[in-house]
Amino acid sequence: MAKLTQDELLAQFEELTLIELAAFVKAFEEKFDVTAAAPVAVAAAGGPAAVEAVEEQDEFDVILEGAGDKKIQVIKEVRTLTSLGLKEAKDLVDTAGAKVLEKVAKDVAEKAKAALEAAGAKVTVK
């Protein structure tokens, strides 16, 4: 396969619709395990209309940063949220930066964050 120059790539992107461009960006992110730095960077590559292609995030990860002082309460809450067994929940709580929930809706992520923080954990939603 012939290697395309930057100008040739940009010419190809100009021909894409916004939906096709958004699908390409998503596939690119998954293939190379990266995320778009900012909508401005996408706009520079695809033109002003590409800013609209950046969709609002609809899937979130709930990440446990630390169990805090009430580790047992946090383990109980993790078990409630994930239906894991006691050992699996304890191992998850002992692992800093562990994902409690992956690719959940925003309201589910916010409820889980509130429940875990009420139990004493430090949580982030990404």
Side-chain angles (χ1 to χ4, degrees), residues 7 10 52 56 59 66 83 87 93 101 117 122 125:
D7 291 333
L10 289 175
E52 296 172 19
E56 184 176 330
E59 292 181 338
S83 68
K87 180 172 180 7
V93 170
L101 298 172
E117 286 179 341
K122 182 179 178 194
V125 175

Side-chain angles (χ1 to χ4, degrees), residues 18-30:
L18 291 178
I19 294 171
E20 291 170 332
L21 186 58
F24 171 77
V25 170
K26 188 174 221 173
F28 186 90
E29 289 174 344
E30 289 174 4

Side-chain angles (χ1 to χ4, degrees), residues 4-126:
L4 298 176
T5 67
Q6 185 176 3
D7 291 333
E8 291 170 330
L9 281 172
L10 289 175
Q12 291 294 318
F13 287 131
E14 287 177 345
E15 295 176 13
L16 296 177
T17 66
L18 291 178
I19 294 171
E20 291 170 332
L21 186 58
F24 171 77
V25 170
K26 188 174 221 173
F28 186 90
E29 289 174 344
E30 289 174 4
K31 171 87 174 167
F32 296 103
D33 194 28
V34 296
T35 57
V40 175
V42 173
V51 174
E52 296 172 19
V54 177
E55 298 174 8
E56 184 176 330
Q57 183 177 357
D58 59 352
E59 292 181 338
F60 296 86
D61 294 338
V62 179
I63 301 170
L64 183 66
E65 299 295 333
D69 295 337
K70 301 177 184 176
K71 186 175 176 180
I72 293 173
Q73 297 294 20
V74 174
I75 292 171
K76 287 180 182 179
E77 197 58 48
V78 167
R79 289 189 67 199
T80 302
L81 293 169
T82 63
S83 68
L84 289 174
L86 180 60
K87 180 172 180 7
E88 292 84 7
K90 181 186 178 301
D91 291 344
L92 187 131
V93 170
D94 287 339
T95 306
K99 291 182 182 177
V100 178
L101 298 172
E102 292 185 74
K103 297 184 180 179
V104 296
K106 184 176 184 176
D107 60 331
V108 174
E110 292 300 324
K111 287 179 185 176
K113 180 181 178 186
L116 287 166
E117 286 179 341
K122 182 179 178 194
V123 182
T124 58
V125 175
K126 293 184 180 182

